[in-house]
Amino acid sequence: MHIGATTDSRSYRRAVAAGRARMASAGRRPWIGAATVLGLAILWYVLTTATGAVSPARFPRPADVWSAALQLTLRGYAGGTLWLQIWYSSRLVLLGFLVAAATGVPLGLLMGMSRRAEALINPAFLLIRPIPPLAWIPLAIVWFGLGDAAKIFVIWFAAFVPALINTYTGVRTLDRTLIAAARVHGASERQILTEVMIPGALPLIFTGLRLSLQASWTTLVAAELVGAFFGLGRVLIIAAQDIYPGMIAFAMALVAILGALMTGCLGLLERWAVPWRRT
Amino acid sequence: MGRSMSQISFQSVSRVFRRGSEEILAVADVSLEVADREFVAIVGPSGCGKTTLLRMAAGLDFPSSGSVLVGAREVAEPGPDRAVVFQQFALFPWKTVRENIGFGLKCRGVPAAQRNAAVDRYIEMMGLQGHENAYPHQLSGGMQQRVAIARSYALEPEVLLMDEPFGALDAQTRIEMQEELIRLARVNPRTVLFITHAVEEAVYLADRVAVMTRRPGRLAEIIDVAPVRRAEAWEERPIEEVMDLGSFTHLRTRIWKMLRDEREAKAEAPRVTPLQRRKAGP
């Protein structure tokens, strides 16, 4: 018994040490990434500015992007300043994403838990799923006009699918023995849901939410390109009409940064909600 | 409930599984009584239906005919009066050691303070101090199974059902756990139904060993170990000494031979079950 205890704590310590080693190698990665980004930036400068190998009419120089950034921030472009455009786009993404998560995750849980719910919902889902979300834009405009509601509807449609499928898969691939273990230790149906199915599916739920968030951004930009009064997609389409590569590049970078920020927030939320996966 | 009453009672239990159009008789007419506070082990070749018997006592499976009673009531569903220890531990990966052990009590609605006291007791009893807040994947197999056993014991169930609980452990850890279980059974006696294919383990742990035949699983014989164990005070001795005793090796060899005879008898006779015979008819 004592021998057992020491070997066990040793193997535990070994597991912790392995976890640290993994984190150390992950700690080195940001430096490699930063070097790559710096290299690309230098290449960009050399090609467009120092040598002039690429014409600034085709690809903006760093200075063009900088002046576009200043213009958008200080004077505004396409009907508003930087903050207004960011606010409009982020708000729509968040609303669409939240509606998608609030419907996709519970429906996925329901389909994962109950064969009857699955039989009921799945045919409709399979019928609608092959339609690309962007193909709903015309119908959304007919139903809701050019306002926010149409965009939220299309985002919801795009983001709903990965949230639902991953949640469903998370529940369905759960080890059946764990459910049996919960039942033989006295868990009620509700406790099986809250203590076993949801935490067990959580890693896949978060995978689904990450994909949903990405789909939300993709769809938003597309929807704003088609028709919007404000927003980053609106900035992009106006800049294209003005043949303004600096502004196009800046707006694209903004979409990328905002998307990464939101994904980062979701990652933090996941770390907090799924603590057993950390080591 | 009187002590003379049996806690677990299998009454002419048969179980037929359907695989496509084929019918497979997994358990054939098994009758077995397990008395209150008795430790009964079932041994038999793999696929003989021993785990099916356990699952029926747990309420995770049901007999095709006959009945299974626990505490004089027919088993209709799983319940915390019959905690199961699984071969694959089946700990909740998202719960710490402490939360896993307290799971059953939480389900029952035991207040946190009272629950913590009980959990502390079982952490100490199973030698899990220092690992209270670890997650299962941070523990070795032996430690994980200690947690699973503590989780089941914490419910103070009438009946403990153990399905090859040490089957996934290495030989060394397995022996430690067998000793541990004997110690636990002494301080906290329960009615135990223990499934294993390891004959030595069964003889060392059980009051009685039920030997099953190959599929379709029937009871070949029940061997009473308790009188020998008591007479020679096995529980006072270390496991390696017990396994060296003449009486121990005698019982073990007897069961081994029984299993081998069974195997050879089957090899000679064509394996026709009553069900198959019926299906083959006109």
Side-chain angles (χ1 to χ4, degrees):
Chain A
M1 146 96 245
H2 281 284
I3 298 165
T6 50
T7 49
D8 284 335
S9 69
R10 205 178 301 145
S11 71
Y12 174 48
R13 253 178 275 136
R14 216 179 298 131
V16 171
R20 278 209 201 99
R22 227 176 300 134
M23 271 153 80
S25 80
R28 227 175 293 131
R29 244 172 269 144
W31 294 108
I32 301 170
T36 309
V37 171
L38 192 70
L40 283 174
I42 291 170
L43 187 69
W44 179 27
Y45 177 78
V46 168
L47 286 180
T48 55
T49 313
T51 64
V54 178
S55 151
R58 289 187 187 285
F59 203 88
R61 292 168 301 179
D64 298 331
V65 177
W66 176 244
S67 71
L70 282 181
Q71 185 192 344
L72 185 58
T73 314
L74 302 175
R75 280 174 285 142
Y77 183 79
T81 59
L82 176 70
W83 306 115
L84 180 92
Q85 311 287 19
I86 287 181
W87 163 247
Y88 255 81
S89 292
S90 307
R91 192 179 57 102
L92 286 178
V93 164
L94 276 180
L95 279 172
F97 169 71
L98 288 178
V99 175
T103 48
V105 172
L107 215 57
L109 285 173
L110 190 68
M111 278 174 69
M113 277 185 316
S114 143
R115 296 266 173 204
R116 205 177 301 163
E118 186 194 357
L120 212 65
I121 300 167
N122 213 24
F125 189 66
L126 287 178
L127 207 67
I128 294 171
R129 206 185 142 196
I131 304 171
L134 299 186
W136 286 86
I137 291 177
L139 198 58
I141 292 173
V142 170
W143 284 349
F144 302 105
L146 279 179
D148 295 349
K151 293 182 191 65
I152 293 173
F153 172 77
V154 178
I155 292 172
W156 168 76
F157 214 88
F160 167 80
V161 174
L164 183 141
I165 290 181
N166 283 283
T167 305
Y168 166 77
T169 310
V171 175
R172 268 296 145 83
T173 54
L174 202 63
D175 183 358
R176 295 287 112 181
T177 317
L178 290 180
I179 294 169
R183 296 182 70 201
V184 299
H185 289 92
S188 64
E189 289 304 313
R190 219 198 72 216
Q191 282 164 332
I192 287 174
L193 174 68
T194 58
E195 302 276 333
V196 182
M197 285 186 171
I198 292 179
L202 216 47
L204 264 180
I205 291 177
F206 270 101
T207 302
L209 290 181
R210 239 189 325 274
L211 294 172
S212 284
L213 194 56
Q214 282 157 16
S216 300
W217 275 105
T218 310
T219 317
L220 170 92
V221 172
E224 285 183 343
L225 283 174
V226 172
F229 304 112
F230 302 104
L232 294 170
R234 169 88 177 154
V235 172
L236 278 168
I237 198 75
I238 299 290
Q241 284 161 13
D242 290 351
I243 315 177
Y244 189 172
M247 187 61 80
I248 294 176
F250 183 57
M252 285 169 71
L254 278 177
V255 171
I257 291 166
L258 287 174
L261 274 179
M262 285 194 184
T263 307
C265 289
L266 198 62
L268 287 180
L269 189 67
E270 181 175 1
R271 275 176 69 89
W272 171 79
V274 190
W276 63 92
R277 278 226 166 166
R278 233 178 255 163
T279 36
Chain B
M1 204 174 301
R3 279 197 65 112
S4 57
M5 205 153 161
S6 60
Q7 271 292 344
I8 310 173
S9 170
F10 294 95
Q11 298 174 349
S12 327
V13 169
S14 297
R15 178 71 172 95
V16 179
F17 288 108
R18 253 161 269 269
R19 199 171 295 157
S21 62
E22 200 186 356
E23 285 190 336
I24 298 159
L25 184 60
V27 174
D29 194 29
V30 168
S31 293
L32 176 67
E33 307 279 321
V34 182
D36 190 30
R37 303 283 186 266
E38 192 185 21
F39 194 127
V40 169
I42 303 181
V43 295
S46 40
C48 72
K50 52 192 192 294
T51 291
T52 306
L53 283 177
L54 178 133
R55 289 177 59 85
M56 289 192 281
L60 296 169
D61 198 356
F62 298 94
S64 308
S65 68
S67 51
V68 180
L69 279 69
V70 171
R73 266 195 314 162
E74 179 130 19
V75 174
E77 57 183 3
D81 58 323
R82 286 159 280 134
V84 180
V85 178
F86 296 89
Q87 182 178 5
Q88 296 304 331
F89 322 139
L91 296 172
F92 304 114
W94 48 88
K95 290 182 185 289
T96 61
V97 166
R98 175 166 273 290
E99 291 166 341
N100 264 291
I101 297 175
F103 177 77
L105 298 173
K106 188 180 176 187
C107 288
R108 194 187 277 172
V110 175
Q114 209 179 320
R115 196 164 73 217
N116 280 333
V119 170
D120 284 337
R121 203 162 59 242
Y122 282 99
I123 281 176
E124 207 194 310
M125 194 181 286
M126 295 306 291
L128 289 163
Q129 301 97 322
H131 299 288
E132 289 93 337
N133 297 314
Y135 287 103
H137 73 97
Q138 297 171 317
L139 302 177
S140 68
M143 281 304 218
Q144 291 190 39
Q145 196 55 297
R146 278 168 205 266
V147 177
I149 291 172
R151 177 176 65 179
S152 292
Y153 262 93
L155 275 168
E156 314 248 306
E158 296 294 321
V159 168
L160 267 167
L161 304 167
M162 300 191 162
D163 185 13
E164 300 202 35
F166 308 143
L169 303 178
D170 61 88
Q172 164 92 43
T173 314
R174 190 168 184 151
I175 286 175
E176 274 169 31
M177 293 301 294
Q178 288 163 357
E179 270 188 317
E180 190 83 351
L181 197 60
I182 284 286
R183 193 179 60 78
L184 207 58
R186 205 165 38 192
V187 295
N188 198 341
R190 298 280 149 196
T191 307
V192 180
L193 185 66
F194 189 101
I195 307 296
T196 181
H197 58 253
V199 173
E200 287 192 326
E201 182 170 271
V203 175
Y204 176 68
L205 292 171
D207 297 322
R208 285 190 299 151
V209 178
V211 183
M212 282 186 77
T213 66
R214 305 186 115 200
R215 182 183 295 158
R218 298 169 202 279
L219 269 191
E221 199 164 340
I222 298 176
I223 289 158
D224 212 351
V225 185
V228 188
R229 158 177 294 113
R230 265 197 301 274
E232 299 190 345
W234 285 6
E235 286 164 26
E236 319 283 306
R237 305 174 178 209
I239 184 168
E240 60 275 12
E241 203 183 305
V242 173
M243 289 189 176
D244 231 14
L245 291 172
S247 55
F248 184 94
T249 52
H250 172 76
L251 284 171
R252 182 194 60 192
T253 310
R254 203 174 129 204
I255 297 173
W256 271 349
K257 274 183 74 178
M258 215 178 282
L259 287 170
R260 206 205 359 236
D261 290 350
E262 159 63 23
R263 200 155 54 227
E264 278 162 7
K266 281 283 180 255
E268 281 160 23
R271 287 179 54 195
V272 180
T273 66
L275 270 165
Q276 282 166 332
R277 211 178 295 143
R278 204 184 322 144
K279 280 186 73 174

